Amino acid sequence: MRSDNVTKGAERAPNRSLFYALGYTEEDLKKPLIAVVSAYSEIVPGHMNLDKLADAVKAGIESAGGTAFLVPAIGVCDGIAMGHMGMKYSLPSRELICDSVETMFLGHQFDGMVLIPNCDKIVPGMVMAAVRMDVPAIVCSGGPMLAGTYGGDEVSLSKMFEAVGAYKAGLIDDEKLEDCTQNCCPSCGSCSGMYTANSMNCLCEAIGIALPGNGTVPAVYSKRLQLGRMAGAAILNLVKNNITARQIINSRSIKNALTCDMALGCSTNTVLHLLAIAHEAGIPLDLKIFNEISAKTPNLCHLAPAGPTHMPELYHAGGIPAVQNELAKKNLLDLDCLTVTGKTVGENIKGAVNKNHNAIRPIEDPYSETGGLQILWGNLAPNGCVVKRSAVAPEMQKHTGPARVFDGEEDAISAIYAGNIKPGDVVVIRYEGPKGGPGMREMLNPTSALAGMKLDKTVALITDGRFSGASRGASIGHVSPEAASGGPIRLVQEGDMIAIDIPNASINLIVDEAELEKRAKNYKQPEPKVTSGWLSRYARMVASADEGAVLH
């Protein structure tokens, strides 16, 4: 075992002495050494319960004959980081998390690891480390938050951001705004819609790196602790049989994850993260396959922000196994893929039942015959951009309107709050990409303000930044190449007409080539927004969004 490098032989006596200093015994060091990588902190609501979950995982490891070691990981709360410079650190933190997990694992020569994330960038960052090292690993996330209440309805965080837009438009008063503030997020856990955190936790199930239930068992349920104990026991089986991350995450299982992504209507951020995971696993993956799978995968779920349902309803309906079982009816999944249970996908979902057709549509009666995400191409985005089409109103699937151009989120949100954006407009926010931001900030404030002002069915928003999974409407992100890398989005001027055609996967700036060439000759690149700290280094090294915004 790998841990022999720190526990066996006279040469490793100094190493053993330090394990004894930690309070471990000679018998402990004869067992497989398992890292329990926990992102617990007191600043992230989705992580505040991870200490209890880590204890459950450790108990499972020890009952199955392993020795558990708790090691830390960082995590940014995207909701708290939203709308200011803190969001510049969110996506870049994914790379720090990946590197730190690699550092702790190989630095101490563990035999396997249980990864305990919950929120947005932490989940993919940990999975990227697992496939980079190709070691026995299993994900056991913290679980989704319960839905809140507001105005007699079930709500989650997206409603809170939209309430700000409604307040700015004079549609609600201070009392109603405070009512939503106090009651939309009622418990620990990852925010209750199909936002990025829950999307990635569900896709960990779909790709096979997590146990069934990982994506949907609510954070406050005791079954989440049971799942932790089972994950702790399962890692010992993976170590014993030398089942490593790349045996589970491969080109076949990634296609399974993409299929579930389309059926669930996951966050647009899953495009970035699946590209990055595939990159670390050495698996070729480009944007074309997203549309190929979307074209043949029915959309079965409309969780918030696309619809009124939330994660607990998906759990009680049967969770991801029930969704997978619906997809299997039309042979849309590779049921022979191996998972961390030691069984195949087909064996895992045998007997799964869809118990609530409001939460999971039968495959014979989907919300749409095509999937929740769509990649668009055109002269505005030669290398592609992405939209969560399942959260776009029918009347905005095709839209042509005048550009309202902003060189950053702050100017755009000020214009929206001031009532300067009108029905029919296409808001363009640029210099927010991986390099230009830097850090590719999420644009939940602008999209939510538009929705709260009842403009989400008449106004589109295009950016080389990205969107929260909580965004809805014609929100088109990841425009590549980005403005800071010389992408055509840098040449858009106020009033230019932009044509969006989501069903036909196109997005075009209606300006002739001669004019664009003239603008390009006169173009002057703005100065970098950040010139110090590690974000300046990130800006120099980060790849384009169509490559997953990985570091070169």
Side-chain angles (χ1 to χ4, degrees):
M1 292 192 296
R2 180 180 285 102
S3 60
D4 290 351
N5 293 326
V6 292
T7 61
K8 295 288 178 69
E11 298 86 352
R12 298 304 178 214
N15 309 66
R16 289 195 299 276
S17 71
L18 293 170
F19 282 104
Y20 298 147
L22 289 167
Y24 290 90
T25 68
E26 187 175 353
E27 285 303 309
D28 291 330
L29 301 189
K30 292 177 181 178
K31 302 172 184 177
L33 306 188
I34 307 299
V36 178
V37 186
S38 172
Y40 168 76
S41 75
E42 295 181 345
I43 188 58
V44 184
H47 291 187
M48 62 183 284
N49 63 320
L50 298 190
D51 56 341
K52 305 296 189 297
L53 185 58
D55 288 342
V57 169
K58 289 168 65 179
I61 291 167
E62 287 156 9
S63 69
T67 299
F69 297 79
L70 184 68
V71 298
I74 64 168
V76 172
C77 176
D78 279 12
I80 295 175
M82 195 71 66
H84 54 86
M85 71 89 61
M87 179 49 71
K88 294 179 184 291
Y89 286 89
S90 175
L91 182 61
S93 74
R94 185 187 71 182
E95 315 309 310
L96 289 181
I97 292 161
C98 178
D99 290 350
S100 65
V101 172
E102 175 192 359
T103 299
M104 294 299 287
F105 188 92
L106 294 181
H108 301 97
Q109 295 291 284
F110 291 108
D111 297 306
M113 60 183 179
V114 180
L115 303 165
I116 309 180
N118 208 27
C119 293
D120 297 32
K121 308 310 148 325
I122 300 88
V123 182
M126 288 187 178
V127 175
M128 287 162 64
V131 293
R132 175 189 290 179
M133 295 184 290
D134 191 25
V135 297
I138 184 169
V139 171
C140 184
S141 299
M145 185 183 288
L146 298 180
T149 56
Y150 171 63
D153 297 323
E154 275 196 357
V155 298
S156 50
L157 186 65
S158 57
K159 181 60 69 175
M160 183 67 254
F161 278 89
E162 291 175 16
V164 176
Y167 178 79
K168 293 286 186 177
L171 300 176
I172 63 172
D173 59 17
D174 292 87
E175 184 178 354
K176 287 186 177 179
L177 182 66
E178 185 61 18
D179 178 16
C180 191
T181 306
Q182 292 285 347
N183 297 304
C184 71
C185 294
S187 74
C188 63
S190 47
C191 300
S192 195
M194 189 54 79
Y195 311 145
T196 306
N198 290 325
S199 294
M200 290 308 302
N201 287 330
C202 289
L203 294 188
C204 283
E205 267 192 70
I207 211 167
I209 199 71
L211 296 176
N214 179 76
T216 60
V217 176
V220 297
Y221 284 17
S222 295
K223 282 189 177 295
R224 179 58 59 174
L225 299 179
Q226 294 173 6
L227 190 72
R229 286 177 174 266
M230 290 188 286
I235 190 62
L236 270 298
N237 182 59
L238 298 181
V239 170
K240 177 182 177 182
N241 293 291
N242 196 30
I243 298 173
T244 60
R246 292 196 190 187
Q247 293 174 49
I248 292 166
I249 297 179
N250 50 49
S251 59
R252 293 162 56 209
S253 65
I254 284 178
K255 288 178 181 177
N256 277 351
L258 285 172
T259 301
C260 288
D261 192 338
M262 300 305 167
L264 290 164
C266 289
S267 164
T268 53
N269 284 315
T270 60
V271 177
L272 282 175
H273 299 324
L274 289 173
L275 286 168
I277 290 167
H279 171 79
E280 293 291 353
I283 299 166
L285 185 68
D286 65 33
L287 291 177
K288 292 179 181 178
I289 195 171
F290 286 80
N291 278 4
E292 290 171 7
I293 290 177
S294 181
K296 62 183 180 182
T297 306
N299 178 226
L300 305 181
C301 299
H302 264 193
L303 285 89
T309 52
H310 294 88
M311 294 303 295
E313 290 164 273
L314 180 59
Y315 167 65
H316 290 295
I320 303 309
V323 174
Q324 290 173 307
N325 208 36
E326 292 290 347
L327 294 168
K329 291 177 182 177
K330 291 196 174 180
N331 299 314
L332 294 173
L333 293 179
D334 186 336
L335 300 180
D336 294 327
C337 286
L338 181 65
T339 74
V340 291
T341 65
K343 300 177 181 179
T344 64
V345 172
E347 290 172 320
N348 285 348
I349 68 173
K350 188 176 181 180
V353 176
N354 180 358
K355 302 172 185 175
N356 182 350
H357 291 182
N358 290 322
I360 306 170
R361 285 278 186 92
I363 200 160
E364 300 83 8
D365 180 31
Y367 283 102
S368 67
E369 293 294 340
T370 52
L373 299 181
Q374 179 81 314
I375 309 299
L376 312 180
W377 286 273
N379 69 354
L380 191 56
N383 294 345
C385 54
V386 61
V387 62
K388 186 173 183 175
R389 66 176 168 190
S390 60
V392 179
E395 56 266 46
M396 288 298 291
Q397 295 285 330
K398 293 185 178 183
H399 179 77
T400 300
R404 305 297 310 280
V405 183
F406 304 94
D407 289 347
E409 178 188 8
E410 287 81 3
D411 289 345
I413 194 69
S414 294
I416 294 169
Y417 284 158
N420 295 333
I421 303 302
K422 306 301 181 185
D425 286 347
V426 178
V427 176
V428 176
I429 306 177
R430 60 193 179 190
Y431 298 103
E432 288 288 3
K435 289 182 181 295
M440 205 179 183
R441 286 194 290 182
E442 289 184 345
M443 301 291 154
L444 181 55
N445 275 348
T447 60
S448 298
L450 292 171
M453 293 175 169
K454 309 299 182 185
L455 292 171
D456 56 300
K457 295 182 180 180
T458 58
V459 172
L461 196 154
I462 298 170
T463 181
D464 54 8
R466 59 195 179 91
F467 296 110
S468 164
S471 292
R472 62 184 174 98
S475 304
I476 300 165
H478 309 190
V479 170
S480 300
E482 62 175 291
S485 294
I489 192 172
R490 81 193 192 284
L491 304 178
V492 181
Q493 293 184 1
E494 189 81 6
D496 286 347
M497 298 301 288
I498 295 175
I500 301 162
D501 187 341
I502 295 172
N504 291 304
S506 73
I507 182 167
N508 286 291
L509 178 63
I510 307 175
V511 176
D512 65 58
E513 284 298 319
E515 172 62 19
L516 291 178
E517 288 176 9
K518 179 181 176 182
R519 293 181 188 179
K521 287 179 182 178
N522 297 325
Y523 171 78
K524 185 178 180 180
Q525 186 82 3
E527 292 297 317
K529 294 179 181 177
V530 174
T531 57
S532 64
W534 84 273
L535 279 184
S536 64
R537 183 169 71 249
Y538 176 87
R540 293 193 300 272
M541 299 172 65
V542 69
S544 177
D546 63 294
E547 298 179 56
V550 297
L551 293 186
H552 284 169

